[in-house]
Amino acid sequence: MKIWSALQDCLFTDDGYSRKVRRRLSILFFVYFLILLKVIVFKYPLGQLIEITKTWEKDVILEGLDTANFTLFKTIKMYIRYWGRLNSFENLVGNVVCFVPFGFLLPFLHRDSGHWWVLLINAFLLVSGIELFQLVTDFGAFDVDDFLLNCVGAMLGFGIFSLCRAGGRRKYKIH
């Protein structure tokens, strides 16, 4: 609970301790972001990524368009239908869980992201960048369902942030 209290304090005070907590959150966010990129974008072994880059031509982008999913809920329905046979749990839950830290940490570091709609726009922009990168590089597959799942994860993280902020408001008697 000491960490929770420190997080609440850094939202409502600007003393040396709160600045130190925000610095640590910045470092944590940076490390999280690097891990996110590794897990989502650069998930294949280095040798395989190098082999993929050797195939980069205009045709690769066109192939990416052929395999991309532009139909909302198509992949989600498939994973639910074949729950026992595919890595459904990893993909569905993983796409949500990967973005919970984004929704929780960003509002501490960027005050405007303390508004749900700003955080949602930031999450959507990040996911758009990742999905478009996967589309043109073939380092993954473009999937519109990832937008939904990743943004749901970011909003769950924002919900946890909101609980922290509400507790801090009670603690500091701010309305």
Side-chain angles (χ1 to χ4, degrees), residues 7-19:
L7 292 171
Q8 291 172 339
D9 292 347
C10 84
L11 286 171
F12 298 102
T13 62
D14 195 31
D15 58 7
Y17 181 71
S18 294
R19 284 189 294 275

Side-chain angles (χ1 to χ4, degrees), residues 13-92:
T13 62
D14 195 31
D15 58 7
Y17 181 71
S18 294
R19 284 189 294 275
K20 186 177 180 180
V21 169
R22 279 192 293 276
R23 264 192 311 277
R24 288 182 178 167
L25 287 175
S26 296
I27 293 167
L28 181 62
F29 186 80
F30 180 73
V31 170
Y32 155 75
F33 191 74
L34 292 176
I35 292 170
L36 183 71
L37 289 177
K38 171 63 179 144
V39 168
I40 294 178
V41 178
F42 303 107
K43 57 186 160 240
Y44 303 122
L46 182 59
Q48 190 173 349
L49 292 174
I50 291 169
E51 289 301 314
I52 291 170
T53 62
K54 290 178 182 176
T55 66
W56 284 354
E57 293 176 6
K58 190 167 58 171
D59 295 344
V60 172
I61 295 171
L62 296 175
E63 284 177 26
L65 288 171
D66 288 342
T67 61
N69 172 33
F70 294 102
T71 306
L72 193 59
F73 297 113
K74 181 180 178 182
T75 305
I76 293 171
K77 285 179 185 175
M78 179 191 66
Y79 282 134
I80 291 170
R81 187 177 308 119
Y82 299 105
W83 186 257
R85 287 179 253 167
L86 302 172
N87 53 351
S88 302
F89 182 81
E90 282 178 13
N91 281 298
L92 291 176

